[in-house]
Amino acid sequence: MAKLWSGRFESESSKLLEDFNASIGFDWQMWREDIQGSKAHAKMLAKIGVLSQSELDSILGGLEQIATMIESGDFEFNNSDEDIHMAIESKLTQLIGESGKKLHTARSRNDQVALDFRLFSLRANTSLRHSIIALMQTLLHIAREHTHTIMPGMTHLQHAQPVNLGFHIVAWCCSLQRDVQRLQDSFKRNNFSPLGSGALAGTPYGNDREFVARELGFSAPTLNAMDSVSDRDFALDLLYDIAMLMMHISRISEELVLWSSAEFGFITLSDSYSTGSSIMPQKKNPDVPELLRGKSGRSFGNLMALLSVMKSLPLAYNKDTQEDKEGVFDSVRTAQISLEILRECLATTRFNTENMRKMASIGHLSATDLADFLVRECGVPFRDSHHITGKVVAYAEKKGVDISALTQEELQSIDSRIKEGASAVLDIESSMQARDSLGGCASAQTLLQIESLEMFITQAKSAME
Ligand code: ARG
């Protein structure tokens, strides 16, 4: 069949070119956006008098019919159509005849693809926010149950100070909250309609771009036609937002991998989210968090790839930008499934709280509390209290116990400045509860943080309704 643009050509294009040039192999995924955009465009054309009511009706009917065909798998995508835009337009003309040929009036594929891809990216943005929030809800549910579950807090992956499991999980949620906020910001920044920009310079038809923007749910039309057809910042924003999200997911996953090892023993992953080894029958592997950790790689790559495509491109549209889509599709798909599976994996994980508690009694985690006690209650300058505590730690090490196990008598025999009440502050639970400063790990503070995140979720959800 002749190409829609074949007027000035004398011979047919080579098969090799056809396959190389075509984007329909992947951009068919924007068929919903293409049809949605075409409907709005057609309504606008009728509004400004380019289409009659009956032409509009038959175009809208034809587009509906095409949507049904694609949905039910009755639409064949062919490289000879080049892209989803021309595939749908040709099919429309095939279905409804002459009026189908009028749909592309006052429109170019340049503003059409800019529109479709923007709609796709914004839609993905919203659905990712929903999925991140679902993950946060699962995490906060777990956090609420564990505001008293003592575990070792770490720096340098070494036992540092006792915290509670809820507090640690809230820390994860804070990074996810920023991911939602980043998506909210980029949604707002990019929610403008490029349709009506034409090929690069606008159109001579007096397109009602405000109408189209409203019809499609954008906040307004974009400002400048030339920028509109060449801008892919919306896609880069999304790729960056996803890269950050996947980086956070990789950090959570890394902790799940560590925690599920025999060395930590903090969690037991459910059988349904673990895998076995083909040679070692005893093994249960944390493949899910490992794969999640690994998936961040491609999301960073997709961001770098599109930055490289866009670098140095002259205005306005260039075919290079056809390379913008596959990475975005891949990142969106990757992030979606990652969020979903991480949520499921966490919801089915068993937290071995006794083990966490046991590990918190290793490494003299309350040493700082003794130093603080000496300052506050015994009038010892911090430098001296640090030194005295060091001696207490050395004594406990020699005895082969944690400092929290030392008695008041033992403490006083090490240094007479250690007053009554010191052994109580060495208790791991009181050490955790003592960090009651704003943002600290005390159970009451952890609960406040959980409530604040829950409030954020309520607002973020209602903003998407
Ligand atoms: N398939 C193209 C893309 O993805 C659509 C726009 C083509 N425009 C053009 N003038 N060749 O970018």
Side-chain angles (χ1 to χ4, degrees):
M1 208 174 60
K3 298 269 182 286
L4 290 184
W5 41 251
S6 65
R8 60 103 74 217
F9 289 81
E10 283 172 9
S11 60
E12 291 200 350
S13 42
S14 85
K15 177 81 177 89
L16 199 56
L17 167 114
E18 201 169 272
D19 292 343
F20 182 64
N21 202 39
S23 54
I24 195 156
F26 46 87
D27 68 15
W28 65 268
Q29 292 172 76
M30 305 192 304
W31 67 266
R32 279 191 190 82
E33 290 74 16
D34 197 71
I35 288 180
Q36 192 192 359
S38 286
K39 282 181 174 172
H41 183 65
K43 288 183 198 166
M44 187 280 295
L45 289 178
K47 188 165 180 280
I48 63 171
V50 172
L51 293 178
S52 69
Q53 186 59 46
S54 69
E55 285 169 331
L56 173 64
D57 290 344
S58 85
I59 287 175
L60 294 180
L63 289 170
E64 265 311 305
Q65 211 180 322
I66 293 172
T68 312
M69 289 170 76
I70 299 178
E71 206 130 56
S72 57
D74 291 336
F75 193 103
E76 212 185 306
F77 298 109
N78 275 321
N79 274 357
S80 57
D81 279 324
E82 197 173 318
D83 56 30
I84 186 65
H85 323 295
M86 294 205 286
I88 289 178
E89 196 194 324
S90 320
K91 179 60 83 184
L92 182 70
T93 303
Q94 231 178 14
L95 290 174
I96 66 169
E98 283 303 293
S99 40
K101 293 186 188 165
K102 294 193 178 176
L103 173 63
H104 208 55
T105 317
R107 181 174 79 171
S108 153
R109 263 191 303 153
N110 297 351
D111 57 347
Q112 189 178 1
V113 71
L115 172 79
D116 292 3
F117 197 29
R118 217 180 254 250
L119 282 173
F120 181 93
S121 301
L122 292 170
R123 196 160 285 166
N125 177 312
T126 306
S127 85
L128 284 171
R129 272 182 283 155
H130 279 294
S131 302
I132 300 171
I133 285 170
L135 172 60
M136 287 175 77
Q137 282 172 319
T138 298
L139 285 170
L140 290 174
H141 183 81
I142 301 170
R144 263 191 184 279
E145 285 175 13
H146 291 288
T147 55
H148 288 271
T149 304
I150 308 282
M151 69 182 287
M154 301 190 184
T155 63
H156 311 268
L157 206 59
Q158 307 288 324
H159 291 199
Q161 288 177 345
V163 297
N164 66 72
L165 174 60
F167 180 71
H168 193 118
I169 289 177
V170 168
W172 289 346
C173 283
C174 289
S175 64
L176 296 171
Q177 177 188 33
R178 288 191 295 279
D179 291 323
V180 173
Q181 290 167 331
R182 231 183 310 281
L183 287 163
Q184 288 173 330
D185 292 346
S186 59
F187 188 96
K188 224 159 104 193
R189 180 164 47 253
N190 295 304
N191 192 25
F192 296 93
S193 168
L195 201 67
S197 297
L200 75 164
T203 82
Y205 288 92
N207 296 40
D208 188 344
R209 297 190 57 211
E210 312 272 351
F211 171 84
V212 170
R214 264 197 312 278
E215 190 74 10
L216 294 169
F218 289 107
S219 33
T222 51
L223 185 69
N224 172 284
M226 196 174 255
D227 174 58
S228 305
V229 292
S230 74
D231 170 31
R232 292 297 181 269
D233 292 5
F234 61 89
L236 285 164
D237 274 350
L238 182 61
L239 288 174
Y240 174 70
D241 294 351
I242 291 176
M244 287 288 269
L245 165 69
M246 292 304 294
M247 180 271 285
H248 293 144
I249 287 180
S250 81
R251 294 185 67 175
I252 296 171
S253 302
E254 165 69 0
E255 294 196 302
L256 295 180
V257 171
L258 288 171
W259 290 3
S260 67
S261 69
E263 283 67 22
F264 275 77
F266 286 2
I267 57 170
T268 308
L269 296 170
S270 73
D271 281 357
S272 44
Y273 286 94
S274 311
T275 51
S277 157
S278 58
I279 176 169
M280 297 166 282
Q282 84 284 11
K283 289 212 70 180
K284 183 167 151 181
N285 293 328
D287 280 26
V288 168
E290 285 175 306
L291 200 48
L292 285 171
R293 205 171 50 180
K295 291 277 182 197
S296 57
R298 64 165 73 206
S299 71
F300 304 164
N302 290 333
L303 171 62
M304 283 309 131
L306 185 54
L307 279 171
S308 312
V309 167
M310 296 309 293
K311 180 190 170 295
S312 309
L313 281 189
L315 293 174
Y317 178 85
N318 299 275
K319 186 75 169 184
D320 312 45
T321 49
Q322 183 166 288
E323 287 292 309
D324 58 2
K325 291 170 204 68
E326 285 159 291
V328 169
F329 294 160
D330 180 65
S331 279
V332 169
R333 204 181 314 113
T334 300
Q336 274 297 5
I337 190 166
S338 298
L339 287 164
E340 211 170 299
I341 201 157
L342 178 57
R343 201 188 68 75
E344 289 286 331
C345 179
L346 283 159
T348 55
T349 289
R350 198 175 69 232
F351 292 88
N352 305 326
T353 56
E354 270 169 35
N355 232 358
M356 291 183 182
R357 179 71 185 74
K358 207 166 80 201
M359 297 311 279
S361 333
I362 297 175
H364 318 293
L365 298 201
S366 50
T368 320
D369 298 84
L370 177 61
D372 289 335
F373 175 83
L374 283 163
V375 170
R376 264 199 332 262
E377 306 294 329
C378 315
V380 178
F382 184 75
R383 240 339 114 210
D384 293 344
S385 79
H386 190 285
H387 189 76
I388 297 169
T389 309
K391 284 197 332 205
V392 173
V393 169
Y395 174 89
E397 289 270 286
K398 211 179 275 160
K399 196 178 169 197
V401 297
D402 189 73
I403 51 167
S404 57
L406 298 179
T407 64
Q408 185 65 35
E409 293 68 50
E410 284 178 293
L411 291 170
Q412 242 144 0
S413 74
I414 298 165
D415 195 300
S416 59
R417 283 170 290 181
I418 306 179
K419 279 199 203 161
E420 198 67 36
S423 69
V425 301
L426 285 175
D427 175 65
I428 298 296
E429 166 91 28
S430 15
S431 166
M432 185 275 278
Q433 297 297 7
R435 294 200 165 65
D436 200 19
S437 56
L438 186 69
C441 71
S443 302
Q445 289 296 333
T446 302
L447 204 57
L448 286 177
Q449 294 157 31
I450 292 173
E451 282 162 5
S452 160
L453 288 166
E454 284 171 344
M455 201 129 79
F456 168 78
I457 286 177
T458 308
Q459 288 162 357
K461 278 171 84 171
S462 79
M464 287 188 288
E465 274 162 13

